[in-house]
Structure formats: structure tokens, C-alpha cells
Amino acid sequence: MMSALLFSATGVRAQQLRLAYYGETVTHYGLKAGYEIPVGTRHLRNETVRKEILFAPGIAVYRHPHNHTGIVVSPELAYRRTGPRGGFYELALAPSYFRYFLAGTTFEVDETGAFRRVPLAGRNAFLPTVSLGFGKDLSVRKRAGFSWYARLNLMQQRPYNASSLLRFSLEAGIIKPLKKS
């Protein structure tokens, strides 16, 4: 509770946009976009070290060729620590929603025993996610107005058939502040 008060009392940075390559199991290519909203920021060591708690809703879309197209909606809660030279690491948790749409034409048998086409065939799933990332805030030393980052996401799809499925994805992209902080 006390750390929450310290984070909120020491100022909040500008909101940021995040855009990245999103590779579900690396080879299933896609994009991810997010919007970072700082919940709290704390500066240490004469303002050279920054610790932040972020709420970062995002959406990722990827394609698994000849199988499905997936959409992941992830409301993330993240912790990021930025060092004096701009390097940072982050840890995030997200109770994500996953929807996939099967590739190709899908049919089902109706009440009369005839086949009928199923539009937008696919399934919904819960996809709890843990993410670990690193990057560099280029505005700290080089006066560039963005950061680059890379991240590994570990996810568990529930349900998957009669069980669950462990999935992972990689992100590599940029973070751009909307306003100068």
C-alpha cells in the first residue's frame, strides 16, 4: 500500500503508443499495438533511475498460414525500471482474451442432417499471459523521441480441446510518447 502511494505521489509521465512485430511461436507473423498509461512513477538517484507501473491495453493480430488468424486482446499491468543510460526491463501480467478464426471453409451438420457453412468459424479462449522484456529509451541520452524494445510472452490457452495449451510469442518494436514528459 505504501509503495502505491509513493508511486502515485512522485509524478506521472506522458502516455505512450506501442507498435511491434508480433510472432506467435515466432513463425506465425503479425502485429501488436498498445497504449501505455502510467499509473505511477517514482524517480531515484537524482532523477536518473525511473520505476513505473503501467496499465497497457493492447491488441495483437497474427496469421498461422493454412490454419487460423488469431486476435489477442490484452489489458496488461506492467512494471518497468529504466536505468540512468536509458536501458530498461519490464515485467507484465495480462488476463488476455483470445479469438481465432479458422482458415478455409468450415461446415457443420444441422438438425436435418444436411451440411451448412459456418461463417467466421473459430473459438474463444482465456489466455493468461506473463511477459518479460527489455529495451532502450533513446530519449535519455540521444534525444531521440522513442524507445525500442523486445519481449517474450508466455501464455496458456484455456480451453484448448479438452485441456490447455502453453503458447509463447515474441514482440519487437518501438514505444513513442504522445507528449513530451
Side-chain angles (χ1 to χ4, degrees):
M1 180 69 178
M2 182 58 110
S3 63
L5 290 174
L6 285 174
F7 271 101
S8 62
T10 57
V12 175
R13 288 175 34 94
Q15 298 169 357
Q16 304 182 104
L17 290 177
R18 183 186 283 244
L19 184 62
Y21 166 81
Y22 182 84
E24 192 271 340
T25 61
V26 184
T27 58
H28 307 150
Y29 54 91
L31 291 174
K32 183 173 182 181
Y35 184 71
E36 295 182 350
I37 304 165
V39 176
T41 302
R42 183 173 178 201
H43 293 277
L44 305 170
R45 295 190 205 150
N46 297 330
E47 306 282 322
T48 61
V49 174
R50 186 175 65 241
K51 294 182 178 183
E52 297 174 286
I53 302 293
L54 305 164
F55 174 64
I59 186 166
V61 178
Y62 72 89
R63 182 168 183 259
H64 181 165
H66 310 293
N67 191 293
H68 70 270
T69 298
I71 299 174
V72 179
V73 177
S74 55
E76 299 174 1
L77 187 59
Y79 167 80
R80 180 181 297 148
R81 182 190 185 277
T82 305
R85 294 184 179 173
F88 66 82
Y89 66 86
E90 60 186 9
L91 177 65
L93 300 171
S96 303
Y97 166 76
F98 176 50
R99 170 71 185 175
Y100 63 89
F101 301 95
L102 297 173
T105 306
T106 304
F107 295 90
E108 69 182 2
V109 179
D110 65 14
E111 305 80 34
T112 66
F115 290 102
R116 71 175 176 94
R117 187 170 187 270
V118 179
L120 301 175
R123 197 165 187 191
N124 300 308
F126 178 52
L127 195 70
T129 304
V130 175
S131 304
L132 183 60
F134 65 93
K136 179 98 173 182
D137 183 346
L138 299 176
S139 68
V140 172
R141 290 211 146 172
K142 297 185 180 185
R143 299 291 184 227
F146 66 94
S147 303
W148 64 263
Y149 79 98
R151 181 189 254 194
L152 174 66
N153 303 306
L154 185 61
M155 308 166 283
Q156 185 178 43
Q157 180 182 338
R158 299 175 188 174
Y160 178 79
N161 295 334
S163 179
S164 64
L165 175 67
L166 197 60
R167 295 178 171 270
F168 71 93
S169 66
L170 295 175
E171 287 178 50
I174 61 168
I175 302 168
K176 177 76 174 142
L178 295 176
K179 295 179 187 175
K180 194 89 166 145
S181 58

